[in-house]
Amino acid sequence: MNQFGNMLRQERKERKMTLGDLARKLKLSVPYLSQIETGAKPVQDELVDTVIHELGLIGDDVNRIRRAAALSMSDYAIRLKSGASAEDRVLASTLASGFARLSHEKKEQLRRIMEDESRG
């Protein structure tokens, strides 16, 4: 089980919802939701947003589930040095998974930061 699946299951159980209840709310099949909870299927950005909305998550809970999703996504990869901290892994995953949503200006800011860093 991955962190996102574990958190999703925890949120569902705290709300005393069955897998079927949550699947209907998220407009997913029960087997597919089960595979997400167990980590057999990857979580997609759109699903994270839907979960946040449908479960009414706010504040720290939103940050926690986004962080768990970022750590659980297998579609993105940023090569980190061995021994990278968990904080670095979360930041890299968050950047990779959210990169497409960044404005052109934000991407340019990141490019400049990275160029400055590579020059030392």
Side-chain angles (χ1 to χ4, degrees):
M1 184 176 296
N2 61 37
Q3 287 188 20
F4 179 81
N6 190 36
M7 285 187 68
L8 185 58
R9 178 173 285 167
Q10 180 182 338
E11 291 291 336
R12 176 174 62 80
K13 290 186 176 227
E14 284 177 8
R15 288 167 173 73
K16 300 189 183 343
M17 297 174 79
T18 66
L19 203 56
D21 295 336
L22 184 56
R24 277 188 296 282
K25 197 169 190 67
L26 298 176
K27 296 179 176 59
L28 300 173
S29 71
V30 172
Y32 186 71
L33 180 58
S34 176
Q35 290 175 326
I36 290 170
E37 281 193 359
T38 61
K41 291 282 184 185
V43 60
Q44 305 296 320
D45 281 337
E46 300 81 25
L47 179 61
V48 177
D49 293 336
T50 302
V51 166
I52 290 167
H53 174 75
E54 291 297 328
L55 295 182
L57 301 178
I58 57 171
D60 287 341
D61 289 336
V62 170
N63 293 333
R64 284 180 39 245
I65 203 146
R66 284 197 189 282
R67 180 182 179 98
L71 288 171
S72 301
M73 289 182 184
S74 60
D75 291 349
Y76 309 105
I78 293 179
R79 179 168 274 173
L80 299 173
K81 292 181 180 179
S82 63
S85 69
E87 183 179 323
D88 286 349
R89 288 193 316 275
V90 168
L91 178 59
S93 295
T94 302
L95 173 62
S97 65
F99 190 79
R101 293 188 306 266
L102 293 175
S103 68
H104 176 74
E105 293 78 20
K106 294 285 185 189
K107 288 176 183 176
E108 282 300 308
Q109 286 176 338
L110 282 171
R111 184 186 57 74
R112 285 192 297 275
I113 290 168
M114 297 312 297
E115 285 175 354
D116 289 348
E117 287 298 313
S118 66
R119 284 185 224 135

